[in-house]
Amino acid sequence: MKINFIDLQSQYEAYKKEIDSEVLEVFSSAQFIGGEKLNKLEKSLAIYTGSKHAIGCSSGTDALLLALMALDIGYNDEVITTPFTFIATAEVIAFLGAKPVFVDIEPDTYNIDVTKIRAAITDRTKAIIPVSLYGQCADMDVINDIAKEYKLPVIEDACQSFGATYNGKKSCNLSTIGCTSFFPSKPLGAYGDGGAIFTNDDDLATKMRMLLNHGQNERYKHKYIGINGRLDAVQAAILNVKLKYFDQEVQAREEIGSRYSDLLDDSENTQVITPKIKEGNTSVYAQYSIRVKDREAMIKRCAAAEIPTAVHYPVPLHLQEAFEYLNYNKGDFPVSEEVATQIMSLPMSPYLSETEQDFIIQTIKGK
Ligand SMILES: *Cc1c(COP(=O)(O)O)cnc(C)c1O
């Protein structure tokens, strides 16, 4: 059985006619940057999330960078985030000359442990970036309450959670700024790099729109030092098609995710810890990640059955060479460190069949 880790081929086959026609329209219009496809996408993204403003940009990384730039975060500032995430979250903080300050994660959701945030706040703290990891939102209400107390903005790294809900509200619209990614393998993926920024603040929206276009407010008038952070029209055209079917895909992801958990969770199988979705949350399962004691053996067993797996993420950020200068040590974030040695992701896509899933589950259980 040939199982794909993420089945982008089947997805393309399903929407091929519409995607091809939308992309060809961009080619013949020769409007490659900005234009009608992007405007349409931004309107749809705003409606989808309930945010006042949705702004397309070049990637999830640039979305996070633009958010921090709009908040004037830079040298000598501190930004609180988690060490158990993709490097981009902390990279953009460091890139601007600010200091990433890490706070450990919860052992069951792998999101930032809100009980540990307060202790990390200093008079240099300028923002909090919770990550909604694997497709489930961090505990945003509690984080927003803490942030309000200290007058801090909150940037949700929603690069894995577009489409997820938190107490009935959509991810990306839960804080000062929400940032998502349309990297091909994300729940809503483009055919190249892409991302979006969300806010209900008019001034921040205007500023971020300028920043992603070299800080221009009109052509060749530069109000800010910005970047080239635009989303191109071809990606917007593809996303317009995929967004139409996204809710169906989210539903399929949820069903497949819960089915994995139901079938892996039986009592004879204490080997595997399945992801816990908190009350009030829905997950888009950007990854379906389990914890196992002997990960190397489990990966080998899967590989022998030709089941592709991945590890998100094997090394927490405080132990990365690039962040050595922050002077963190092994043992500083024990939950992140333990999870990093045990976590592994299984194939997940809306196109994963029950037969494929059953085969994966049987292999994991060693039956
Ligand atoms: C993918 C990802 C990013 C970066 O998004 P890109 O579009 O690849 O730049 C940032 N944070 C998290 C948590 C991610 O998963």
Side-chain angles (χ1 to χ4, degrees):
M1 200 179 312
K2 169 89 181 72
I3 298 174
N4 291 306
F5 188 68
I6 296 167
D7 197 352
L8 294 175
Q9 292 90 340
S10 297
Q11 192 194 44
Y12 176 55
E13 284 308 315
Y15 313 139
K16 183 173 174 5
K17 245 180 102 188
E18 277 182 85
I19 287 178
D20 290 0
S21 128
E22 279 287 309
V23 166
L24 288 174
E25 265 183 40
V26 175
F27 292 170
S28 42
S29 77
Q31 173 84 54
F32 295 113
I33 303 286
E36 175 214 327
K37 303 284 182 206
L38 179 62
N39 294 342
K40 182 179 168 194
L41 177 69
E42 290 182 338
K43 282 204 185 86
S44 312
L45 290 172
I47 293 168
Y48 187 84
T49 55
S51 303
K52 189 164 179 199
H53 304 278
I55 304 164
C57 68
S58 40
S59 69
T61 306
D62 286 340
L64 291 162
L65 180 68
L66 288 159
L68 291 173
M69 286 169 77
L71 294 164
D72 291 318
I73 285 162
Y75 186 67
N76 256 338
D77 296 336
E78 293 180 358
V79 178
I80 292 173
T81 190
T82 129
F84 192 66
T85 175
F86 181 58
I87 191 160
T89 321
E91 195 178 32
V92 291
I93 301 168
F95 187 76
L96 290 172
K99 184 181 167 194
V101 173
F102 296 122
V103 168
D104 212 353
I105 54 167
E106 298 174 334
D108 52 355
T109 65
Y110 316 122
N111 283 329
I112 194 164
D113 184 340
V114 295
T115 65
K116 294 180 179 151
I117 292 177
R118 266 197 179 77
I121 296 175
T122 71
D123 51 15
R124 284 164 59 189
T125 306
K126 289 288 147 47
I128 306 173
I129 310 185
V131 181
S132 296
L133 203 72
Y134 300 151
Q136 171 176 214
C137 291
D139 202 345
M140 298 302 289
D141 280 351
V142 179
I143 296 165
N144 285 331
D145 284 348
I146 297 169
K148 204 170 164 191
E149 207 179 297
Y150 293 89
K151 297 194 169 58
L152 298 171
V154 177
I155 302 166
E156 185 195 8
D157 181 340
C159 286
Q160 298 184 7
S161 60
F162 184 80
T165 61
Y166 175 87
N167 293 333
K169 268 184 90 175
K170 285 264 165 48
S171 175
C172 299
N173 184 25
L174 300 170
S175 62
T176 321
I177 300 172
C179 297
T180 201
S181 165
F182 302 129
F183 185 76
S185 62
K186 307 284 169 154
L188 180 62
Y191 285 2
D193 280 304
I197 323 166
F198 301 82
T199 187
N200 293 314
D201 183 307
D202 296 343
D203 295 337
L204 283 176
T206 306
K207 189 168 176 187
M208 289 190 291
R209 278 196 186 283
M210 286 187 220
L211 286 171
L212 68 78
N213 198 16
H214 300 290
Q216 291 187 115
N217 46 8
E218 52 185 291
R219 197 154 208 199
Y220 305 127
K221 296 271 171 65
H222 303 272
K223 189 173 162 75
Y224 305 109
I225 302 291
I227 62 170
N228 173 355
R230 296 176 298 247
L231 180 65
D232 65 70
V234 169
Q235 302 309 332
I238 291 159
L239 290 165
N240 279 329
V241 176
K242 286 216 202 173
L243 190 57
K244 284 205 290 188
Y245 303 104
F246 187 61
D247 272 337
Q248 261 163 258
E249 293 203 345
V250 168
Q251 201 187 333
R253 284 178 169 280
E254 274 192 83
E255 281 163 17
I256 292 164
S258 351
R259 190 165 184 273
Y260 259 135
S261 294
D262 289 347
L263 297 175
L264 285 170
D265 256 347
D266 68 30
S267 52
E268 22 168 344
N269 187 53
T270 48
Q271 304 280 353
V272 173
I273 302 173
T274 56
K276 294 294 165 288
I277 308 304
K278 277 197 180 167
E279 214 187 306
N281 278 359
T282 60
S283 177
V284 289
Y285 293 102
Q287 319 292 347
Y288 185 87
S289 303
I290 57 171
R291 278 170 76 181
V292 289
K293 286 243 161 58
D294 189 348
R295 179 170 66 197
E296 220 170 296
M298 190 61 90
I299 290 175
K300 268 202 191 129
R301 194 198 292 172
C302 290
E306 293 187 82
I307 296 168
T309 59
V311 174
H312 307 96
Y313 298 92
V315 183
L317 300 188
H318 66 290
L319 302 178
Q320 293 284 353
E321 192 178 343
F323 287 126
E324 236 169 49
Y325 72 97
L326 294 173
N327 291 317
Y328 282 111
N329 294 306
K330 208 165 181 181
D332 284 348
F333 304 105
V335 183
S336 298
E337 290 169 31
E338 185 180 31
V339 172
T341 65
Q342 299 180 340
I343 203 84
M344 61 181 280
S345 306
L346 304 180
M348 167 51 88
S349 96
Y351 300 88
L352 190 72
S353 69
E354 282 196 7
T355 318
E356 291 172 319
Q357 199 179 19
D358 288 341
F359 178 68
I360 296 164
I361 291 162
Q362 276 155 23
T363 306
I364 297 284
K365 285 181 167 179
K367 280 180 187 159

mmCIF file with all atom_site columns, all heavy atoms in Angstrom, residues 59-61 64 85-86 88-89 131 157 159-160 181 183 186 193-194 313, ligand 1:
data_model
loop_
_atom_site.group_PDB
_atom_site.id
_atom_site.type_symbol
_atom_site.label_atom_id
_atom_site.label_alt_id
_atom_site.label_comp_id
_atom_site.label_asym_id
_atom_site.label_entity_id
_atom_site.label_seq_id
_atom_site.pdbx_PDB_ins_code
_atom_site.Cartn_x
_atom_site.Cartn_y
_atom_site.Cartn_z
_atom_site.occupancy
_atom_site.B_iso_or_equiv
_atom_site.pdbx_formal_charge
_atom_site.auth_seq_id
_atom_site.auth_comp_id
_atom_site.auth_asym_id
_atom_site.auth_atom_id
_atom_site.pdbx_PDB_model_num
ATOM   1   N N   . SER A 1 59  ? 4.608  34.721 3.120  1.00 0.00 ? 59  SER A N   1
ATOM   2   C CA  . SER A 1 59  ? 4.775  33.459 3.852  1.00 0.00 ? 59  SER A CA  1
ATOM   3   C C   . SER A 1 59  ? 4.296  33.639 5.286  1.00 0.00 ? 59  SER A C   1
ATOM   4   O O   . SER A 1 59  ? 4.049  34.771 5.724  1.00 0.00 ? 59  SER A O   1
ATOM   5   C CB  . SER A 1 59  ? 6.254  33.025 3.869  1.00 0.00 ? 59  SER A CB  1
ATOM   6   O OG  . SER A 1 59  ? 7.014  33.907 4.668  1.00 0.00 ? 59  SER A OG  1
ATOM   7   N N   . GLY A 1 60  ? 4.233  32.548 6.009  1.00 0.00 ? 60  GLY A N   1
ATOM   8   C CA  . GLY A 1 60  ? 3.904  32.633 7.429  1.00 0.00 ? 60  GLY A CA  1
ATOM   9   C C   . GLY A 1 60  ? 5.008  33.331 8.201  1.00 0.00 ? 60  GLY A C   1
ATOM   10  O O   . GLY A 1 60  ? 4.749  34.090 9.141  1.00 0.00 ? 60  GLY A O   1
ATOM   11  N N   . THR A 1 61  ? 6.244  33.064 7.800  1.00 0.00 ? 61  THR A N   1
ATOM   12  C CA  . THR A 1 61  ? 7.384  33.715 8.443  1.00 0.00 ? 61  THR A CA  1
ATOM   13  C C   . THR A 1 61  ? 7.281  35.229 8.278  1.00 0.00 ? 61  THR A C   1
ATOM   14  O O   . THR A 1 61  ? 7.438  35.985 9.250  1.00 0.00 ? 61  THR A O   1
ATOM   15  C CB  . THR A 1 61  ? 8.714  33.210 7.818  1.00 0.00 ? 61  THR A CB  1
ATOM   16  O OG1 . THR A 1 61  ? 8.727  31.786 7.892  1.00 0.00 ? 61  THR A OG1 1
ATOM   17  C CG2 . THR A 1 61  ? 9.913  33.777 8.529  1.00 0.00 ? 61  THR A CG2 1
ATOM   18  N N   . LEU A 1 64  ? 4.604  36.830 10.449 1.00 0.00 ? 64  LEU A N   1
ATOM   19  C CA  . LEU A 1 64  ? 5.074  37.054 11.822 1.00 0.00 ? 64  LEU A CA  1
ATOM   20  C C   . LEU A 1 64  ? 6.040  38.232 11.883 1.00 0.00 ? 64  LEU A C   1
ATOM   21  O O   . LEU A 1 64  ? 5.971  39.070 12.786 1.00 0.00 ? 64  LEU A O   1
ATOM   22  C CB  . LEU A 1 64  ? 5.769  35.791 12.352 1.00 0.00 ? 64  LEU A CB  1
ATOM   23  C CG  . LEU A 1 64  ? 4.867  34.578 12.599 1.00 0.00 ? 64  LEU A CG  1
ATOM   24  C CD1 . LEU A 1 64  ? 5.699  33.291 12.686 1.00 0.00 ? 64  LEU A CD1 1
ATOM   25  C CD2 . LEU A 1 64  ? 4.053  34.762 13.877 1.00 0.00 ? 64  LEU A CD2 1
ATOM   26  N N   . THR A 1 85  ? 8.270  24.673 18.724 1.00 0.00 ? 85  THR A N   1
ATOM   27  C CA  . THR A 1 85  ? 7.595  25.186 17.534 1.00 0.00 ? 85  THR A CA  1
ATOM   28  C C   . THR A 1 85  ? 8.588  25.142 16.391 1.00 0.00 ? 85  THR A C   1
ATOM   29  O O   . THR A 1 85  ? 9.764  24.818 16.581 1.00 0.00 ? 85  THR A O   1
ATOM   30  C CB  . THR A 1 85  ? 7.089  26.630 17.762 1.00 0.00 ? 85  THR A CB  1
ATOM   31  O OG1 . THR A 1 85  ? 6.535  27.150 16.545 1.00 0.00 ? 85  THR A OG1 1
ATOM   32  C CG2 . THR A 1 85  ? 8.220  27.565 18.190 1.00 0.00 ? 85  THR A CG2 1
ATOM   33  N N   . PHE A 1 86  ? 8.110  25.467 15.192 1.00 0.00 ? 86  PHE A N   1
ATOM   34  C CA  . PHE A 1 86  ? 8.992  25.626 14.047 1.00 0.00 ? 86  PHE A CA  1
ATOM   35  C C   . PHE A 1 86  ? 9.842  26.875 14.285 1.00 0.00 ? 86  PHE A C   1
ATOM   36  O O   . PHE A 1 86  ? 9.365  27.848 14.874 1.00 0.00 ? 86  PHE A O   1
ATOM   37  C CB  . PHE A 1 86  ? 8.152  25.759 12.774 1.00 0.00 ? 86  PHE A CB  1
ATOM   38  C CG  . PHE A 1 86  ? 8.964  25.906 11.530 1.00 0.00 ? 86  PHE A CG  1
ATOM   39  C CD1 . PHE A 1 86  ? 9.891  24.937 11.167 1.00 0.00 ? 86  PHE A CD1 1
ATOM   40  C CD2 . PHE A 1 86  ? 8.816  27.020 10.714 1.00 0.00 ? 86  PHE A CD2 1
ATOM   41  C CE1 . PHE A 1 86  ? 10.652 25.087 10.012 1.00 0.00 ? 86  PHE A CE1 1
ATOM   42  C CE2 . PHE A 1 86  ? 9.567  27.167 9.562  1.00 0.00 ? 86  PHE A CE2 1
ATOM   43  C CZ  . PHE A 1 86  ? 10.484 26.199 9.212  1.00 0.00 ? 86  PHE A CZ  1
ATOM   44  N N   . ALA A 1 88  ? 10.692 29.442 12.736 1.00 0.00 ? 88  ALA A N   1
ATOM   45  C CA  . ALA A 1 88  ? 10.267 30.761 12.249 1.00 0.00 ? 88  ALA A CA  1
ATOM   46  C C   . ALA A 1 88  ? 9.697  31.646 13.361 1.00 0.00 ? 88  ALA A C   1
ATOM   47  O O   . ALA A 1 88  ? 9.940  32.852 13.385 1.00 0.00 ? 88  ALA A O   1
ATOM   48  C CB  . ALA A 1 88  ? 9.230  30.593 11.144 1.00 0.00 ? 88  ALA A CB  1
ATOM   49  N N   . THR A 1 89  ? 8.956  31.048 14.292 1.00 0.00 ? 89  THR A N   1
ATOM   50  C CA  . THR A 1 89  ? 8.323  31.816 15.371 1.00 0.00 ? 89  THR A CA  1
ATOM   51  C C   . THR A 1 89  ? 9.343  32.663 16.138 1.00 0.00 ? 89  THR A C   1
ATOM   52  O O   . THR A 1 89  ? 9.100  33.844 16.400 1.00 0.00 ? 89  THR A O   1
ATOM   53  C CB  . THR A 1 89  ? 7.628  30.863 16.376 1.00 0.00 ? 89  THR A CB  1
ATOM   54  O OG1 . THR A 1 89  ? 7.002  29.790 15.671 1.00 0.00 ? 89  THR A OG1 1
ATOM   55  C CG2 . THR A 1 89  ? 6.611  31.612 17.216 1.00 0.00 ? 89  THR A CG2 1
ATOM   56  N N   . VAL A 1 131 ? 1.759  29.862 20.052 1.00 0.00 ? 131 VAL A N   1
ATOM   57  C CA  . VAL A 1 131 ? 1.681  29.093 18.804 1.00 0.00 ? 131 VAL A CA  1
ATOM   58  C C   . VAL A 1 131 ? 0.521  28.112 18.929 1.00 0.00 ? 131 VAL A C   1
ATOM   59  O O   . VAL A 1 131 ? 0.405  27.420 19.944 1.00 0.00 ? 131 VAL A O   1
ATOM   60  C CB  . VAL A 1 131 ? 2.995  28.316 18.558 1.00 0.00 ? 131 VAL A CB  1
ATOM   61  C CG1 . VAL A 1 131 ? 2.928  27.534 17.257 1.00 0.00 ? 131 VAL A CG1 1
ATOM   62  C CG2 . VAL A 1 131 ? 4.188  29.264 18.563 1.00 0.00 ? 131 VAL A CG2 1
ATOM   63  N N   . ASP A 1 157 ? 0.576  32.784 16.467 1.00 0.00 ? 157 ASP A N   1
ATOM   64  C CA  . ASP A 1 157 ? 1.192  32.058 15.359 1.00 0.00 ? 157 ASP A CA  1
ATOM   65  C C   . ASP A 1 157 ? 0.213  30.948 14.992 1.00 0.00 ? 157 ASP A C   1
ATOM   66  O O   . ASP A 1 157 ? 0.195  29.868 15.581 1.00 0.00 ? 157 ASP A O   1
ATOM   67  C CB  . ASP A 1 157 ? 2.556  31.494 15.751 1.00 0.00 ? 157 ASP A CB  1
ATOM   68  C CG  . ASP A 1 157 ? 3.227  30.745 14.590 1.00 0.00 ? 157 ASP A CG  1
ATOM   69  O OD1 . ASP A 1 157 ? 2.507  30.353 13.650 1.00 0.00 ? 157 ASP A OD1 1
ATOM   70  O OD2 . ASP A 1 157 ? 4.451  30.542 14.625 1.00 0.00 ? 157 ASP A OD2 1
ATOM   71  N N   . CYS A 1 159 ? 0.021  29.537 12.062 1.00 0.00 ? 159 CYS A N   1
ATOM   72  C CA  . CYS A 1 159 ? 0.507  28.949 10.805 1.00 0.00 ? 159 CYS A CA  1
ATOM   73  C C   . CYS A 1 159 ? 0.023  27.515 10.619 1.00 0.00 ? 159 CYS A C   1
ATOM   74  O O   . CYS A 1 159 ? -0.032 27.014 9.503  1.00 0.00 ? 159 CYS A O   1
ATOM   75  C CB  . CYS A 1 159 ? 2.025  29.018 10.747 1.00 0.00 ? 159 CYS A CB  1
ATOM   76  S SG  . CYS A 1 159 ? 2.605  30.698 10.436 1.00 0.00 ? 159 CYS A SG  1
ATOM   77  N N   . GLN A 1 160 ? -0.325 26.844 11.732 1.00 0.00 ? 160 GLN A N   1
ATOM   78  C CA  . GLN A 1 160 ? -0.822 25.467 11.614 1.00 0.00 ? 160 GLN A CA  1
ATOM   79  C C   . GLN A 1 160 ? -2.315 25.362 11.918 1.00 0.00 ? 160 GLN A C   1
ATOM   80  O O   . GLN A 1 160 ? -2.872 24.274 11.859 1.00 0.00 ? 160 GLN A O   1
ATOM   81  C CB  . GLN A 1 160 ? -0.036 24.554 12.581 1.00 0.00 ? 160 GLN A CB  1
ATOM   82  C CG  . GLN A 1 160 ? 1.448  24.515 12.256 1.00 0.00 ? 160 GLN A CG  1
ATOM   83  C CD  . GLN A 1 160 ? 2.239  23.546 13.126 1.00 0.00 ? 160 GLN A CD  1
ATOM   84  O OE1 . GLN A 1 160 ? 1.672  22.785 13.916 1.00 0.00 ? 160 GLN A OE1 1
ATOM   85  N NE2 . GLN A 1 160 ? 3.548  23.575 12.987 1.00 0.00 ? 160 GLN A NE2 1
ATOM   86  N N   . SER A 1 181 ? 0.049  30.635 7.544  1.00 0.00 ? 181 SER A N   1
ATOM   87  C CA  . SER A 1 181 ? 0.919  30.243 6.428  1.00 0.00 ? 181 SER A CA  1
ATOM   88  C C   . SER A 1 181 ? 0.110  29.432 5.419  1.00 0.00 ? 181 SER A C   1
ATOM   89  O O   . SER A 1 181 ? -0.737 28.624 5.802  1.00 0.00 ? 181 SER A O   1
ATOM   90  C CB  . SER A 1 181 ? 2.050  29.365 6.964  1.00 0.00 ? 181 SER A CB  1
ATOM   91  O OG  . SER A 1 181 ? 2.705  28.683 5.909  1.00 0.00 ? 181 SER A OG  1
ATOM   92  N N   . PHE A 1 183 ? 1.938  27.659 3.157  1.00 0.00 ? 183 PHE A N   1
ATOM   93  C CA  . PHE A 1 183 ? 2.937  26.700 2.673  1.00 0.00 ? 183 PHE A CA  1
ATOM   94  C C   . PHE A 1 183 ? 2.174  25.454 2.194  1.00 0.00 ? 183 PHE A C   1
ATOM   95  O O   . PHE A 1 183 ? 1.162  25.082 2.806  1.00 0.00 ? 183 PHE A O   1
ATOM   96  C CB  . PHE A 1 183 ? 3.892  26.363 3.838  1.00 0.00 ? 183 PHE A CB  1
ATOM   97  C CG  . PHE A 1 183 ? 5.043  25.487 3.451  1.00 0.00 ? 183 PHE A CG  1
ATOM   98  C CD1 . PHE A 1 183 ? 6.121  26.002 2.760  1.00 0.00 ? 183 PHE A CD1 1
ATOM   99  C CD2 . PHE A 1 183 ? 5.042  24.136 3.771  1.00 0.00 ? 183 PHE A CD2 1
ATOM   100 C CE1 . PHE A 1 183 ? 7.187  25.185 2.394  1.00 0.00 ? 183 PHE A CE1 1
ATOM   101 C CE2 . PHE A 1 183 ? 6.107  23.313 3.418  1.00 0.00 ? 183 PHE A CE2 1
ATOM   102 C CZ  . PHE A 1 183 ? 7.182  23.835 2.722  1.00 0.00 ? 183 PHE A CZ  1
ATOM   103 N N   . LYS A 1 186 ? 0.498  22.981 4.646  1.00 0.00 ? 186 LYS A N   1
ATOM   104 C CA  . LYS A 1 186 ? -0.373 23.450 5.741  1.00 0.00 ? 186 LYS A CA  1
ATOM   105 C C   . LYS A 1 186 ? -1.828 23.096 5.399  1.00 0.00 ? 186 LYS A C   1
ATOM   106 O O   . LYS A 1 186 ? -2.138 22.828 4.240  1.00 0.00 ? 186 LYS A O   1
ATOM   107 C CB  . LYS A 1 186 ? -0.229 24.965 5.926  1.00 0.00 ? 186 LYS A CB  1
ATOM   108 C CG  . LYS A 1 186 ? 1.193  25.440 6.109  1.00 0.00 ? 186 LYS A CG  1
ATOM   109 C CD  . LYS A 1 186 ? 1.750  25.156 7.498  1.00 0.00 ? 186 LYS A CD  1
ATOM   110 C CE  . LYS A 1 186 ? 3.240  25.408 7.503  1.00 0.00 ? 186 LYS A CE  1
ATOM   111 N NZ  . LYS A 1 186 ? 3.831  25.761 8.755  1.00 0.00 ? 186 LYS A NZ  1
ATOM   112 N N   . ASP A 1 193 ? 5.010  29.412 -1.766 1.00 0.00 ? 193 ASP A N   1
ATOM   113 C CA  . ASP A 1 193 ? 4.926  30.070 -0.462 1.00 0.00 ? 193 ASP A CA  1
ATOM   114 C C   . ASP A 1 193 ? 3.804  31.102 -0.427 1.00 0.00 ? 193 ASP A C   1
ATOM   115 O O   . ASP A 1 193 ? 3.472  31.709 -1.446 1.00 0.00 ? 193 ASP A O   1
ATOM   116 C CB  . ASP A 1 193 ? 6.266  30.756 -0.132 1.00 0.00 ? 193 ASP A CB  1
ATOM   117 C CG  . ASP A 1 193 ? 7.300  29.769 0.392  1.00 0.00 ? 193 ASP A CG  1
ATOM   118 O OD1 . ASP A 1 193 ? 6.995  29.090 1.392  1.00 0.00 ? 193 ASP A OD1 1
ATOM   119 O OD2 . ASP A 1 193 ? 8.381  29.671 -0.201 1.00 0.00 ? 193 ASP A OD2 1
ATOM   120 N N   . GLY A 1 194 ? 3.244  31.293 0.758  1.00 0.00 ? 194 GLY A N   1
ATOM   121 C CA  . GLY A 1 194 ? 2.208  32.308 0.938  1.00 0.00 ? 194 GLY A CA  1
ATOM   122 C C   . GLY A 1 194 ? 1.821  32.381 2.396  1.00 0.00 ? 194 GLY A C   1
ATOM   123 O O   . GLY A 1 194 ? 2.146  31.484 3.187  1.00 0.00 ? 194 GLY A O   1
ATOM   124 N N   . TYR A 1 313 ? 8.745  18.462 16.608 1.00 0.00 ? 313 TYR A N   1
ATOM   125 C CA  . TYR A 1 313 ? 10.056 18.832 16.130 1.00 0.00 ? 313 TYR A CA  1
ATOM   126 C C   . TYR A 1 313 ? 11.078 18.141 17.004 1.00 0.00 ? 313 TYR A C   1
ATOM   127 O O   . TYR A 1 313 ? 10.886 18.061 18.219 1.00 0.00 ? 313 TYR A O   1
ATOM   128 C CB  . TYR A 1 313 ? 10.213 20.345 16.214 1.00 0.00 ? 313 TYR A CB  1
ATOM   129 C CG  . TYR A 1 313 ? 9.190  21.033 15.315 1.00 0.00 ? 313 TYR A CG  1
ATOM   130 C CD1 . TYR A 1 313 ? 7.952  21.421 15.829 1.00 0.00 ? 313 TYR A CD1 1
ATOM   131 C CD2 . TYR A 1 313 ? 9.450  21.210 13.954 1.00 0.00 ? 313 TYR A CD2 1
ATOM   132 C CE1 . TYR A 1 313 ? 7.000  21.999 14.994 1.00 0.00 ? 313 TYR A CE1 1
ATOM   133 C CE2 . TYR A 1 313 ? 8.494  21.805 13.126 1.00 0.00 ? 313 TYR A CE2 1
ATOM   134 C CZ  . TYR A 1 313 ? 7.280  22.186 13.646 1.00 0.00 ? 313 TYR A CZ  1
ATOM   135 O OH  . TYR A 1 313 ? 6.332  22.724 12.830 1.00 0.00 ? 313 TYR A OH  1
HETATM 136 C C1  . LIG B 2 .   ? 4.976  26.758 8.889  1.00 0.00 ? 1   LIG B C1  1
HETATM 137 C C2  . LIG B 2 .   ? 5.153  27.528 10.112 1.00 0.00 ? 1   LIG B C2  1
HETATM 138 C C3  . LIG B 2 .   ? 5.685  28.827 10.110 1.00 0.00 ? 1   LIG B C3  1
HETATM 139 C C4  . LIG B 2 .   ? 6.280  29.469 8.902  1.00 0.00 ? 1   LIG B C4  1
HETATM 140 O O1  . LIG B 2 .   ? 5.449  29.539 7.788  1.00 0.00 ? 1   LIG B O1  1
HETATM 141 P P1  . LIG B 2 .   ? 6.119  29.642 6.329  1.00 0.00 ? 1   LIG B P1  1
HETATM 142 O O2  . LIG B 2 .   ? 4.973  29.949 5.442  1.00 0.00 ? 1   LIG B O2  1
HETATM 143 O O3  . LIG B 2 .   ? 6.764  28.343 6.027  1.00 0.00 ? 1   LIG B O3  1
HETATM 144 O O4  . LIG B 2 .   ? 7.108  30.757 6.363  1.00 0.00 ? 1   LIG B O4  1
HETATM 145 C C5  . LIG B 2 .   ? 5.724  29.514 11.315 1.00 0.00 ? 1   LIG B C5  1
HETATM 146 N N1  . LIG B 2 .   ? 5.274  28.961 12.458 1.00 0.00 ? 1   LIG B N1  1
HETATM 147 C C6  . LIG B 2 .   ? 4.773  27.716 12.494 1.00 0.00 ? 1   LIG B C6  1
HETATM 148 C C7  . LIG B 2 .   ? 4.259  27.175 13.799 1.00 0.00 ? 1   LIG B C7  1
HETATM 149 C C8  . LIG B 2 .   ? 4.702  26.947 11.338 1.00 0.00 ? 1   LIG B C8  1
HETATM 150 O O5  . LIG B 2 .   ? 4.224  25.704 11.390 1.00 0.00 ? 1   LIG B O5  1
#
